[in-house]
Amino acid sequence: MSMLTPPGMGGKYRITGDRYPRMRRPSGRRRLVFAAMGAVCALGLVGWGTLQLIDVFSGGDDDKTVRAARGTADCKRELGKDTAKGHDKGHDKGHDKASGTAPKALPKPGEITVNVYNATPRTGLAKDTADELKKRGFKIGKVGNAPAAYDKKVKGPGILLGAPAATNGPFDVLGTQLAGARTENDGRSGKDIDLILGSGFKDLTKKKDATKALAALSAPKPSSSAPTC
């Protein structure tokens, strides 16, 4: 019996030889299988995450583009409907609202009587100005020196003085002939307007520029009620 045999044991349990038996290490195949499965799962997660990031940074823009295109198409349809409605209403009222609001009725220069007064020390200024306004179609009333309340007291180019009713129309028309003139109202009942020339007066607005300004007053104003998208 070998010295390696424990006491009391023999027979089939007897160990022969002079070395302990070596135990085999467990097979590494399982570990390889588990490692491979883990690697596959990890790669799958990484790939899925990558696709999600790509979708966030690129796919969302496509969705926004589609929505924007749809919104633009809807907006065009709505604008088309509103324009058609405005066109129909405009025909009912004798004009197309889509082209703008109708201008206010303005008197013609020949319907405005202008009194020209000189509030400066320069002689003949009122007469020369009155003659030029007459050439431009205005009716001329009185011509002379300014009343004491205004004589040599008007610092700017001039003053347009008239009844409160002159504010809406006549002042606008006469104002195209003298840039920078201020307006004032008094208690008169007539429709005539006083043009009081001040120390800042140099000359009337050039005729071509005054004509353009007068035409702009008569032009339709763009409508501000158009729908926006």
Side-chain angles (χ1 to χ4, degrees):
M1 182 175 64
S2 172
M3 295 178 65
L4 299 178
T5 303
M9 297 185 65
K12 64 177 180 179
Y13 298 105
R14 185 176 57 187
I15 300 174
T16 61
D18 56 357
R19 295 182 180 180
Y20 286 101
R22 291 186 178 182
M23 303 297 292
R24 286 186 177 182
R25 294 181 180 180
S27 177
R29 292 182 179 179
R30 290 184 179 179
R31 286 183 292 178
L32 291 176
V33 171
F34 287 124
M37 292 177 62
V40 170
C41 293
L43 289 174
L45 290 174
V46 171
W48 181 81
T50 303
L51 290 176
Q52 293 299 316
L53 290 175
I54 292 175
D55 182 66
V56 169
F57 289 103
S58 63
D61 294 338
D62 295 338
D63 185 56
K64 290 180 181 178
T65 302
V66 172
R67 288 198 300 268
R70 290 177 180 174
T72 302
D74 294 340
C75 180
K76 288 181 179 179
R77 286 195 295 270
E78 293 299 326
L79 287 175
K81 292 179 182 179
D82 294 338
T83 301
K85 290 180 181 179
H87 184 72
D88 294 339
K89 292 180 180 179
H91 278 293
D92 294 339
K93 295 181 180 181
H95 68 281
D96 187 356
K97 283 189 176 181
S99 62
T101 58
K104 63 182 179 181
L106 295 173
K108 297 179 180 179
E111 298 173 345
I112 301 175
T113 300
V114 184
N115 304 316
V116 184
Y117 296 110
N118 182 10
T120 75
R122 297 156 57 186
T123 59
L125 187 60
K127 183 179 183 304
D128 293 342
T129 304
D131 291 343
E132 182 60 29
L133 287 174
K134 186 176 182 179
K135 293 178 182 178
R136 300 184 183 188
F138 291 88
K139 286 185 178 181
I140 303 301
K142 299 177 181 179
V143 179
N145 293 326
Y150 295 96
D151 191 27
K152 299 180 181 62
K153 297 177 183 178
V154 180
K155 303 298 182 181
I159 297 175
L160 305 182
L161 181 64
T167 302
N168 189 16
F171 278 174
D172 296 328
V173 175
L174 185 56
T176 61
Q177 310 301 312
L178 181 58
R182 72 174 192 267
T183 60
E184 292 184 6
N185 298 121
D186 57 12
R188 74 182 69 188
S189 58
K191 296 182 179 180
D192 59 321
I193 299 175
D194 294 346
L195 172 57
I196 305 174
L197 305 176
S199 58
F201 177 84
K202 294 182 179 180
D203 202 352
L204 291 174
T205 303
K206 292 182 179 181
K207 187 176 181 179
K208 63 177 182 178
D209 295 334
T211 302
K212 290 181 180 179
L214 190 57
L217 288 176
S218 303
K221 300 295 185 299
S223 177
S224 60
S225 60
T228 58
C229 296

